[in-house]
Amino acid sequence: MLPRLYFRRRPEEVEGLRSQFISSSCSVSYRNTGPLHISHGYKARLVDINGIEYLDTRNNVAHCGHGHPEIVRAITYQVGQLQTNTRYLHPHASLLAKKLSDLLPRSLERVFFVNSGSEANDLALRLARAYKMQQKGATHDARKDHTIVIDHGYHGHTLSTLDASAYKHRQGKEIDKCPAHLRIVPCPDVYRGVHSIKKSLPRKYDASLHKDKEQYCESEIEAANKYASYVEIECEKYPVSAFLIEGGMSVAGVILPPKSYLRRCIDAVHKAGGLYIADEVQTGFGRLGKCMWAFQYSNENEGGVDEIIPDIVTVGKPFGNGQPLAAVITTPCIASAFESLGVEYFNTFAASPVQCAAGLAMLHVLSSEHLQKNADDVGNYLVELFSELQSRCEWIGDIRGSGLFIGVELVRDQHTLEPATEETSFVCSILKDKYKVLTSVDGAHENVMVIKPPLVFSRADAALFVSCFEKALLVDLPMVKDRLKYFGRTPT
Amino acid sequence: MLPRLYFRRRPEEVEGLRSQFISSSCSVSYRNTGPLHISHGYKARLVDINGIEYLDTRNNVAHCGHGHPEIVRAITYQVGQLQTNTRYLHPHASLLAKKLSDLLPRSLERVFFVNSGSEANDLALRLARAYKMQQKGATHDARKDHTIVIDHGYHGHTLSTLDASAYKHRQGKEIDKCPAHLRIVPCPDVYRGVHSIKKSLPRKYDASLHKDKEQYCESEIEAANKYASYVEIECEKYPVSAFLIEGGMSVAGVILPPKSYLRRCIDAVHKAGGLYIADEVQTGFGRLGKCMWAFQYSNENEGGVDEIIPDIVTVGKPFGNGQPLAAVITTPCIASAFESLGVEYFNTFAASPVQCAAGLAMLHVLSSEHLQKNADDVGNYLVELFSELQSRCEWIGDIRGSGLFIGVELVRDQHTLEPATEETSFVCSILKDKYKVLTSVDGAHENVMVIKPPLVFSRADAALFVSCFEKALLVDLPMVKDRLKYFGRTPT
């Protein structure tokens, strides 16, 4: 009885109701150029109400693809059986906790299920506080311990995780942007950051663009050392309870920490008695291709020596392939510091048999369809295609990332690195309107195309995407610029 | 391929995996007397893996009943179509926002969808902060504004909502239990609180039990005034940004604010420039029978004069009948204070077409099956049955609540009100083990049976429950006490 009525709504009505009843703080993509009325999806495709298919290069939640039949079946079956809380025992929650732990380093074997990445990072901060309290004794004021976070990082929308999200501090004008106990260190961006690496290209030093840039580094190691030193200084100066960092920074424009950065930071944090919280909400479950988790990327990078092992890991977005499912995983020792406080942790919706069925099915498909390997393969192919394009196109400043987590940074000038912000926005619009490709733009200057599609993204999808991207950049963009120039308007 | 394998797990294996991989802070009900392996459910019944049926008097999430076919169909259909974020337009989210707003007073017409009640209250506090900032100007330090909350209240598990949950402060030993900006006022409990109402029964004044009790009140109005005065004093002394209160306090043991309490508090808070946040996570959507929302209970109580209208309402638990779905609803004016900060509010999972389908279907069934009316009817019947029992049983100290939100407080002595904590726990266990009835115990002394079943709870269910309860209390409890006495052990 229900669904038929509700689906037959004219787009104008849907838009009208939305703008009347949903706060405008909840953004709609392509608001100015025509928002999308998506009806259904499959694999890396979304289909709108007119039947137009879009290639989805940005959805990092539908990990195994939109509407994956096996996952849909698992959810569908379980919804009809039982959806209740974890105060009753159910095989799904127990098994999912085990399977999640099995995918992580051996020491990480205590799971807390939650509903979202925000709830996960919020709880991770609480665990770190409990641990510090245990170390220091009950009289210790854990609220005054410092949390070190990365500039341009994003960790969630709750009050505590917003505080920890330096990127949000810049976005708006909420006061008290940075509470006293939050220490923000520079983002270890070796392309455009404070300590970037000198490339073969000669670059002009433009003071207005690089006003806080100290000097170019000769190598990745040198940059890593310089970036890590900020964390080391914080650890010497302040009582630190946690170092919270995304394995791959998506909002910052796909920044993977340079070689040896994580190792040095973690050592300093541990020496100060703090914990390393690996935020894998965006990057976990094989997205990086080479490794299951982004924190392992540094191991890969360094030949597996001195393995990086987080104290706490948070996962979210792709975990339930769309169903709200997230988790915090930690060591028995840290969990027991929290447990000894005697406070129950109850989360009404988290890890109901339905959410867990989605999680189990996602892990099953991830493995049976070898999607991590596919991410690695297609990711390499994408980098290859973009590199080839870069040789013919001066807009592409940098191509970085791993697996299906790739950033393509557009610049107006390869020397000054002037960000091509308006051009990137234009390319994103034209890709949607003309080529039916959905993309995502991020980075401090909003000039990085962030590619983070479902892991079923194929080589054919990659080829289609890059060819559309090329046309947008080399045909449509110059054409528009030319037209605007003809009419005497500033090309934006 | 997936589900069959996962369901065939022996109970011991499920328990073993759970205790190894899930933190023990995540409690299991009936842990000591035999936790339940629930397999499926229908209406107000849960069925375990051995086919044993339990009457569920405590699940306040499966609002329209476990596994309601119409809701299951709505979810099932939508999962196969699309589950993606609100950056695309979809009829479900727009319609659900409208329908939710339509159920509330006219001024509340801006919706923010979130995943959980915790996220909702967290965002509500943030909205209140933004509003205060707008009133006071950008230099105002909104972090120092005070939030007034009720003792024994519960508002969620994120760091900010935990701070606001006085009940949690007592439960554990996390330090900094009450941050400086949180002002906790006494719970307006007229039975056992600081200002209780003098009943016809003579009561001994036991200093150890009532050590902070000032005096008995003659009437509900007198108690309400005394309780409200705490809020009024806070509002005179401190800069207040929010007064956060559950319409019906569940964890506190089913406390509905006495007549005129809310009105007086709200007036004081508004005078101080603060906002009234109505936490309807437990009590919303008709549970109280007489009214759709618990904040309206006071209106009912006062004949609709001077209608209570919250500035912000939060909803959660029953909204998706099990699917994680929650929301914050506020006025255009408060929403616009937040929107003017220029910070996007994005919530990955919230209000996906699947969650919204669940919400729409829940509202549809709530209305088409007249469940609010059923709550009223069966709730009155329950109170009748319990009252009749009370006349024959000295354990029952108080029966309170409205609709299917009822508290039955057990005491050892009708005069001293000595809480029958151990006896309540025993009754709860025996109801599960012998009578196959699932119940919930809460209240500051853990001596209140909290009855908050799915709203499909029938008169037959009510009669069955009270007859089992009677046997547990009048047959089993004395028998056990007698046996323990025979063996010379303390009856607990």
Side-chain angles (χ1 to χ4, degrees):
Chain A
M1 196 191 312
L2 171 78
R4 224 167 306 148
L5 174 71
Y6 289 154
F7 276 106
R8 288 195 190 149
R9 297 283 174 160
R10 285 173 303 112
E12 310 83 63
E13 190 188 352
V14 173
E15 271 182 72
L17 288 177
R18 168 137 183 172
S19 62
Q20 187 179 353
F21 291 107
I22 296 184
S23 166
S24 64
S25 292
C26 308
S27 314
V28 174
S29 290
Y30 310 108
R31 193 189 288 262
N32 301 324
T33 61
L36 293 168
H37 294 259
I38 299 296
S39 148
H40 58 281
Y42 67 95
K43 292 189 171 182
R45 292 289 191 291
L46 287 172
V47 186
D48 78 4
I49 48 171
N50 300 313
I52 296 173
E53 283 199 17
Y54 292 85
L55 177 64
D56 184 354
T57 74
R58 60 179 284 184
N59 195 305
N60 53 359
V61 174
H63 206 50
C64 302
H66 294 286
H68 193 291
E70 228 169 305
I71 301 176
V72 168
R73 266 201 299 277
I75 297 171
T76 298
Y77 175 76
Q78 189 54 48
V79 166
Q81 294 293 308
L82 183 72
Q83 175 152 33
T84 188
N85 66 52
T86 54
R87 283 191 169 134
Y88 305 118
L89 294 168
H90 197 278
H92 283 5
S94 296
L95 277 167
L96 186 58
K98 177 181 161 38
K99 280 176 191 285
L100 183 57
S101 172
D102 286 351
L103 288 178
L104 284 156
R106 181 182 272 270
S107 60
L108 296 161
E109 57 165 2
R110 286 292 183 284
V111 177
F112 295 80
F113 287 113
V114 295
N115 295 306
S116 64
S118 299
E119 286 188 1
N121 285 325
D122 190 285
L123 177 57
L125 292 171
R126 195 173 158 206
L127 292 178
R129 207 190 261 185
Y131 179 76
K132 191 82 179 184
M133 225 183 94
Q134 198 196 45
Q135 304 301 304
K136 293 282 186 176
T139 57
H140 178 72
D141 186 353
R143 260 176 225 276
K144 291 193 177 147
D145 287 329
H146 287 215
T147 301
I148 302 174
V149 297
I150 309 294
D151 201 5
H152 304 302
Y154 178 63
H155 300 286
H157 53 65
T158 65
L159 283 165
S160 71
T161 54
L162 263 179
D163 273 351
S165 298
Y167 132 81
K168 280 282 178 185
H169 303 176
R170 280 161 210 270
Q171 203 183 15
K173 38 183 179 168
E174 266 178 305
I175 50 155
D176 281 310
K177 286 168 187 174
C178 185
H181 68 280
L182 246 297
R183 310 300 309 174
I184 299 172
V185 296
C187 179
D189 174 354
V190 297
Y191 178 68
R192 175 186 290 285
V194 191
H195 307 290
S196 58
I197 304 173
K198 198 194 260 172
K199 294 272 171 75
S200 47
L201 282 168
R203 299 200 232 184
K204 281 187 288 184
Y205 185 86
D206 179 336
S208 71
L209 284 167
H210 307 280
K211 59 179 185 297
D212 52 0
K213 184 164 300 198
E214 284 177 20
Q215 60 184 73
Y216 293 118
C217 301
E218 294 296 331
S219 68
E220 199 179 330
I221 294 283
E222 189 191 337
N225 286 349
K226 283 191 173 153
Y227 279 120
S229 70
Y230 294 92
V231 174
E232 289 162 345
I233 290 167
E234 294 294 334
C235 289
E236 278 161 25
K237 284 204 303 204
Y238 303 102
V240 170
S241 70
F243 172 56
L244 171 60
I245 180 171
E246 298 160 277
M249 286 156 261
S250 177
V251 169
V254 184
I255 307 296
L256 293 173
K259 217 178 264 194
S260 89
Y261 173 77
L262 264 187
R263 170 51 51 212
R264 286 194 59 157
C265 294
I266 296 166
D267 287 348
V269 169
H270 280 168
K271 213 172 131 192
L275 298 179
Y276 159 41
I277 304 172
D279 179 341
E280 293 280 345
V281 172
Q282 299 246 11
T283 50
F285 298 110
R287 174 162 295 284
L288 265 56
K290 284 180 190 56
C291 42
M292 182 56 76
W293 308 102
F295 65 79
Q296 294 168 331
Y297 183 76
S298 298
N299 297 338
E300 285 289 326
N301 233 356
E302 287 165 49
V305 189
D306 200 9
E307 194 191 350
I308 302 259
I309 300 180
D311 300 301
I312 302 176
V313 173
T314 58
V315 300
K317 291 187 188 290
F319 194 15
N321 212 58
Q323 275 286 302
L325 177 65
V328 181
I329 313 97
T330 190
T331 66
C333 168
I334 295 164
S336 112
F338 181 73
E339 289 153 9
S340 73
L341 295 174
V343 182
E344 182 195 6
Y345 182 80
F346 178 64
N347 189 313
T348 302
F349 298 133
S352 85
V354 174
Q355 269 85 56
C356 289
L360 286 167
M362 191 286 282
L363 291 181
H364 179 73
V365 172
L366 182 67
S367 148
S368 69
E369 296 187 4
H370 313 288
L371 295 181
Q372 184 183 339
K373 204 182 152 295
N374 186 65
D376 190 36
D377 176 50
V378 178
N380 287 335
Y381 183 53
L382 270 169
V383 169
E384 217 173 86
L385 293 173
F386 276 116
S387 302
E388 193 279 325
L389 180 59
Q390 186 181 33
S391 68
R392 290 180 289 117
C393 162
E394 54 182 19
W395 291 103
I396 299 180
D398 194 29
I399 302 157
R400 55 182 177 254
S402 172
L404 287 173
F405 184 64
I406 292 174
V408 176
E409 181 152 359
L410 301 187
V411 294
R412 287 188 180 147
D413 184 319
Q414 298 277 0
H415 303 287
T416 65
L417 306 191
E418 186 189 354
T421 305
E422 287 78 13
E423 290 82 354
T424 311
S425 162
F426 170 80
V427 166
C428 177
S429 296
I430 203 101
L431 276 170
K432 186 267 273 179
D433 287 333
K434 189 164 170 185
Y435 300 103
K436 312 303 171 199
V437 176
L438 306 178
T439 54
S440 173
V441 172
D442 244 316
H445 303 278
E446 301 198 36
N447 67 325
V448 183
M449 308 285 303
V450 176
I451 303 152
K452 42 173 187 159
L455 299 199
V456 290
F457 206 73
S458 67
R459 280 182 158 247
D461 292 335
L464 171 65
F465 172 43
V466 180
S467 84
C468 293
F469 183 78
E470 176 176 347
K471 279 180 247 170
L473 207 61
L474 298 186
V475 180
D476 299 288
L477 181 63
M479 211 159 66
V480 164
K481 289 217 171 208
D482 190 55
R483 190 167 63 216
L484 289 172
K485 201 173 161 196
Y486 178 75
F487 287 113
R489 282 188 271 159
T490 331
T492 52
Chain B
M1 196 190 313
L2 172 78
R4 227 167 305 150
L5 174 70
Y6 289 153
F7 276 106
R8 289 193 188 149
R9 298 282 173 162
R10 286 173 302 114
E12 311 83 63
E13 190 187 352
V14 172
E15 271 184 70
L17 288 176
R18 169 136 182 174
S19 62
Q20 187 179 353
F21 291 107
I22 296 184
S23 167
S24 63
S25 293
C26 308
S27 312
V28 174
S29 290
Y30 310 107
R31 192 192 287 263
N32 301 322
T33 61
L36 292 169
H37 294 259
I38 300 296
S39 150
H40 58 282
Y42 67 95
K43 293 191 171 180
R45 291 290 190 290
L46 286 173
V47 185
D48 79 2
I49 48 171
N50 300 313
I52 296 174
E53 283 199 17
Y54 292 86
L55 177 65
D56 184 356
T57 74
R58 59 179 285 184
N59 195 306
N60 54 359
V61 174
H63 207 50
C64 302
H66 293 286
H68 193 289
E70 225 169 308
I71 301 176
V72 168
R73 265 202 301 277
I75 297 171
T76 297
Y77 174 76
Q78 190 53 49
V79 166
Q81 293 295 307
L82 183 71
Q83 175 152 36
T84 188
N85 65 52
T86 54
R87 282 191 169 134
Y88 305 118
L89 295 168
H90 196 279
H92 282 6
S94 296
L95 278 168
L96 185 59
K98 177 182 162 37
K99 279 175 191 283
L100 182 59
S101 171
D102 286 351
L103 289 178
L104 284 156
R106 180 182 272 272
S107 59
L108 295 161
E109 59 164 0
R110 287 290 183 282
V111 177
F112 296 79
F113 287 113
V114 295
N115 296 304
S116 64
S118 299
E119 285 188 3
N121 285 325
D122 190 285
L123 177 58
L125 291 171
R126 195 172 158 206
L127 293 178
R129 206 191 262 184
Y131 179 76
K132 191 82 178 183
M133 226 183 93
Q134 197 195 46
Q135 304 302 304
K136 293 280 184 176
T139 56
H140 177 72
D141 186 353
R143 260 177 225 276
K144 292 195 178 145
D145 287 330
H146 286 217
T147 301
I148 301 173
V149 296
I150 309 294
D151 201 5
H152 304 299
Y154 178 62
H155 301 287
H157 55 65
T158 65
L159 283 165
S160 71
T161 54
L162 263 180
D163 274 351
S165 297
Y167 132 81
K168 281 283 178 186
H169 302 179
R170 280 161 210 268
Q171 202 183 16
K173 38 184 181 169
E174 265 180 304
I175 50 154
D176 281 310
K177 287 168 187 174
C178 184
H181 68 280
L182 246 297
R183 309 300 309 174
I184 299 172
V185 296
C187 179
D189 174 355
V190 298
Y191 177 68
R192 175 188 289 287
V194 189
H195 307 290
S196 56
I197 303 171
K198 198 193 260 170
K199 295 272 170 75
S200 47
L201 281 168
R203 297 200 234 185
K204 281 187 289 187
Y205 185 85
D206 179 337
S208 71
L209 284 167
H210 305 281
K211 60 180 188 294
D212 52 359
K213 183 163 301 194
E214 284 178 20
Q215 60 184 73
Y216 293 117
C217 300
E218 295 296 331
S219 69
E220 197 178 331
I221 294 283
E222 188 191 337
N225 286 348
K226 283 192 174 153
Y227 279 121
S229 70
Y230 294 92
V231 173
E232 289 163 346
I233 290 167
E234 295 293 335
C235 288
E236 278 162 24
K237 284 204 305 207
Y238 303 103
V240 170
S241 70
F243 172 55
L244 171 60
I245 180 171
E246 297 159 276
M249 286 157 262
S250 177
V251 169
V254 184
I255 306 296
L256 292 174
K259 218 177 261 194
S260 90
Y261 173 76
L262 264 187
R263 168 52 50 215
R264 285 193 61 156
C265 293
I266 296 167
D267 287 349
V269 170
H270 280 168
K271 213 173 132 192
L275 299 180
Y276 159 40
I277 304 172
D279 179 342
E280 293 280 345
V281 172
Q282 299 246 12
T283 49
F285 298 110
R287 175 162 294 284
L288 264 58
K290 284 179 190 55
C291 42
M292 183 54 78
W293 309 103
F295 65 79
Q296 293 167 332
Y297 183 75
S298 299
N299 298 339
E300 285 289 326
N301 232 357
E302 289 166 47
V305 188
D306 199 9
E307 192 191 352
I308 301 255
I309 299 180
D311 301 302
I312 303 176
V313 172
T314 58
V315 300
K317 292 187 187 291
F319 194 14
N321 212 57
Q323 275 285 302
L325 177 65
V328 181
I329 313 96
T330 190
T331 65
C333 169
I334 295 164
S336 112
F338 180 73
E339 288 154 8
S340 74
L341 295 174
V343 182
E344 183 195 4
Y345 182 79
F346 178 63
N347 189 314
T348 303
F349 299 133
S352 84
V354 174
Q355 268 85 56
C356 290
L360 286 167
M362 192 287 281
L363 291 182
H364 179 72
V365 173
L366 182 68
S367 148
S368 67
E369 297 187 5
H370 314 288
L371 294 181
Q372 184 183 339
K373 203 181 153 298
N374 185 66
D376 191 35
D377 176 50
V378 177
N380 287 335
Y381 183 52
L382 270 169
V383 170
E384 218 172 86
L385 293 173
F386 276 115
S387 302
E388 193 279 324
L389 180 59
Q390 187 182 30
S391 66
R392 292 181 288 116
C393 162
E394 56 182 16
W395 290 103
I396 298 181
D398 195 29
I399 302 157
R400 56 182 177 254
S402 173
L404 287 172
F405 183 64
I406 293 175
V408 176
E409 180 154 358
L410 302 187
V411 294
R412 288 189 181 147
D413 184 317
Q414 297 277 0
H415 303 288
T416 64
L417 306 191
E418 187 189 353
T421 305
E422 287 78 12
E423 290 82 353
T424 311
S425 163
F426 171 81
V427 166
C428 178
S429 294
I430 203 100
L431 276 170
K432 185 267 272 178
D433 287 333
K434 189 164 169 185
Y435 301 102
K436 312 302 171 199
V437 176
L438 306 178
T439 54
S440 173
V441 172
D442 243 316
H445 302 278
E446 301 199 35
N447 67 325
V448 183
M449 307 285 303
V450 177
I451 303 151
K452 42 176 185 157
L455 298 199
V456 289
F457 205 74
S458 68
R459 278 180 159 249
D461 293 335
L464 172 64
F465 172 43
V466 180
S467 83
C468 294
F469 182 78
E470 176 177 347
K471 281 181 245 167
L473 207 59
L474 299 186
V475 179
D476 299 288
L477 182 61
M479 211 160 64
V480 162
K481 289 215 171 209
D482 191 53
R483 189 167 66 215
L484 288 173
K485 202 173 159 194
Y486 179 74
F487 288 113
R489 282 189 270 160
T490 331
T492 51

